[in-house]
Amino acid sequence: MSGIPPFRILRAKPLWIANGVITGVLALLFAVFYVGANIDPVDHMSKLPVGLVNADKGAAAGGKQVSLGAQITESIRKSTASGGRIDWKVMDEKEMKEELGKGKLYGALVVPADFTSSTTELAGTATTGTPARPTLTVLTNQSAGSLGSSLARTATTQAAANASLQLGKQLTAETGAQQAKLPAAARVLLADPAAVTVEDGHPLGSHSGLGLTAFYYALTLAVIGMLSANVISGQVDHALGYTHNDMGPLRLHRPLIRATRVQTLAISSTLMAGLSLLMGTLVMVGAVGIMGMDASHLPLLWLYSVCAIAVTGIGAITLLAVFGTPGMLVVTLVFIGMAVPTAGATTPLQALPGFYRFLAEFEPLRQITGGIRSILYYDAQGDAGLTRGWVMLAAGLVAAALFGFGVLGWYDRKGLHRIPAETKPEKTAVPA
């Protein structure tokens, strides 16, 4: 045994340099991914989809048919005031409700059926009593993400207010000399005639976390898969005798069972797949059964949860097997560092910088969140994110298998075993 005091190792520069580089890079990357993605969502917002519905039936005015709703929606659609931040989707009410119910719209602006008739009657009713003020309705959609819904609400409310002021200028010009006969309150009303009301376009249950339960449920699945991969990988190594297993003050070590890297990955992946049945069940029991999360399609939710944990876990095990000790850092960055900001749940993808939108195309948490959101909020509709979720889970599993078994097979063929085979002792001649 060496007589060197243990604390003298703190004088070793390589120890400080190696750990400083690793932890410093990790700190920098997490700051870039987490803070950088969300530092200015309004400035980065581009083409946030918002519905624009003209349900106005028009009315006769001055001997001709007038539709102020069509005039308003057309002016909003052609307006450059949003600077390209809003993608106005002109549609009818039925289509708008369907798109809100699939999470494809973050909100909508609706011109009601009686808008023109209410507006044309405004000047006349103003002289005889309390006028019936026309309304423009702003619909929100928290199921698509609370921040995205809030951004859409702000932009839509502003567009409605601007439309009301433009309409007020038109009404003021049309009344002309009659302005002097109107009460002061009526003149003010004519200058800004439309009231803006805000309603929930796709209501959720009270136990839906204001549209965030899908994200936190998906994050739970991803974190469970990632952490379980670390546990299973370590336990398989211990069972095969490659590592010690410390249990408090006790150190256990099993006899070595030689296994190739490919065999070790196959054992770990099989264990992960089997235990995912247990983990997926308990996650659903905890979230739905114990905590009371609003959920439907429970058999489908269970199956999707099991598959999400299995694929995430096998992917993490693969990275641990290929990269060794640094693999845990890679796993943390892939499944947490880059995943949370690009999941599209807290900040909409349309409000992220371009680099993060690129990451979101294949980051696993975004795919899992889309599937869970479809099951919880959108009646498990395939085009609401569930189909993409299944396809990307399958693609992730195939990619992990090809990458893991391909690289580890190459390691084995090159003789890069975890413990090299013992060298046979050379035979020496025994003197007579």
Side-chain angles (χ1 to χ4, degrees):
M1 296 178 64
S2 173
I4 300 176
F7 285 100
R8 285 195 62 183
I9 197 173
L10 291 174
R11 299 181 183 179
K13 290 183 179 179
L15 181 66
W16 286 95
I17 294 174
N19 285 280
V21 169
I22 294 171
T23 56
V25 169
L26 194 62
L28 177 62
L29 289 177
F30 263 79
V32 169
F33 288 128
Y34 274 57
V35 181
N38 300 286
I39 199 168
D40 192 359
V42 175
D43 186 59
H44 291 126
M45 189 166 66
S46 175
K47 296 187 179 301
L48 190 76
V50 177
L52 186 59
V53 178
N54 174 29
D56 184 18
K57 295 180 179 179
K64 61 180 180 179
Q65 188 71 13
V66 177
S67 176
L68 296 177
Q71 176 183 320
I72 287 176
T73 53
E74 184 65 14
S75 65
I76 290 175
R77 187 182 68 83
K78 292 183 177 180
S79 173
T80 59
S82 68
R85 292 186 175 94
I86 301 296
D87 183 11
W88 296 105
K89 304 285 187 181
V90 179
M91 57 186 65
D92 58 31
E93 285 188 283
K94 180 181 178 182
E95 186 180 4
M96 177 266 295
K97 291 178 181 178
E98 291 177 349
E99 296 293 282
L100 286 174
K102 295 178 181 178
K104 294 185 177 181
L105 296 177
Y106 286 92
L109 176 60
V110 180
V111 182
D114 64 345
F115 186 78
T116 298
S117 59
S118 297
T119 304
T120 54
E121 294 172 359
L122 190 60
T125 58
T127 61
T128 59
T130 303
R133 193 177 186 188
T135 61
L136 295 172
T137 303
V138 171
L139 297 179
T140 60
N141 190 11
Q142 286 189 331
S143 68
S146 55
L147 179 58
S149 179
S150 176
L151 292 171
R153 173 179 174 171
T154 300
T156 308
T157 303
Q158 184 62 51
N162 291 339
S164 178
L165 292 174
Q166 290 296 322
L167 182 59
K169 292 179 180 179
Q170 179 180 330
L171 292 176
T172 300
E174 289 175 354
T175 54
Q178 297 179 9
Q179 285 283 315
K181 302 178 182 180
L182 297 176
R187 291 197 297 269
V188 172
L189 185 59
L190 280 177
D192 186 10
V196 179
T197 62
V198 180
E199 300 176 5
D200 193 343
H202 185 68
L204 298 175
S206 60
H207 289 182
S208 295
L210 300 178
L212 286 174
T213 50
F215 167 67
Y216 286 114
Y217 192 95
L219 180 61
T220 299
L221 299 178
V223 170
I224 290 298
M226 182 190 77
L227 295 179
S228 298
N230 192 44
V231 172
I232 289 173
S233 179
Q235 290 300 311
V236 168
D237 284 347
H238 168 63
L240 292 174
Y242 283 94
T243 61
H244 298 285
N245 191 11
D246 290 332
M247 303 289 291
L250 303 178
R251 166 162 289 194
L252 306 177
H253 189 73
R254 295 180 180 275
L256 179 64
I257 301 175
R258 289 199 172 274
T260 64
R261 292 178 182 269
V262 167
Q263 290 171 335
T264 303
L265 177 61
I267 294 169
S268 299
S269 299
T270 302
L271 196 59
M272 172 60 74
L275 292 178
S276 295
L277 297 168
L278 172 65
M279 290 183 283
T281 301
L282 293 179
V283 168
M284 198 168 82
V285 167
V288 180
I290 298 176
M291 302 310 299
M293 182 184 77
D294 288 332
S296 57
H297 304 282
L298 295 183
L300 180 59
L301 178 63
W302 174 82
L303 179 61
Y304 193 85
S305 301
V306 169
C307 292
I309 291 175
V311 173
T312 301
I314 291 173
I317 285 174
T318 297
L319 294 175
L320 291 171
V322 169
F323 293 105
T325 301
M328 196 59 203
L329 298 178
V330 178
V331 168
T332 303
L333 286 174
V334 171
F335 291 101
I336 300 296
M338 295 186 294
V340 172
T342 59
T346 51
T347 302
L349 300 182
Q350 294 83 358
L352 294 175
F355 172 69
Y356 300 90
R357 290 199 295 271
F358 166 73
L359 288 179
E361 292 301 317
F362 54 84
E363 267 296 325
L365 185 56
R366 185 228 168 166
Q367 327 308 328
I368 297 173
T369 301
I372 295 296
R373 181 183 280 157
S374 175
I375 296 171
L376 294 182
Y377 305 153
Y378 306 134
D379 199 29
Q381 298 178 84
D383 57 348
L386 185 57
T387 298
R388 178 188 175 91
W390 281 121
V391 170
M392 294 303 286
L393 283 179
L397 182 61
V398 171
L402 292 176
F403 177 66
F405 288 109
V407 173
L408 296 181
W410 181 80
Y411 287 171
D412 287 336
R413 289 192 300 274
K414 289 294 183 178
L416 302 174
H417 303 298
R418 302 181 68 189
I419 297 181
E422 292 86 357
T423 304
K424 292 182 180 181
E426 296 182 3
K427 293 183 178 180
T428 56
V430 180

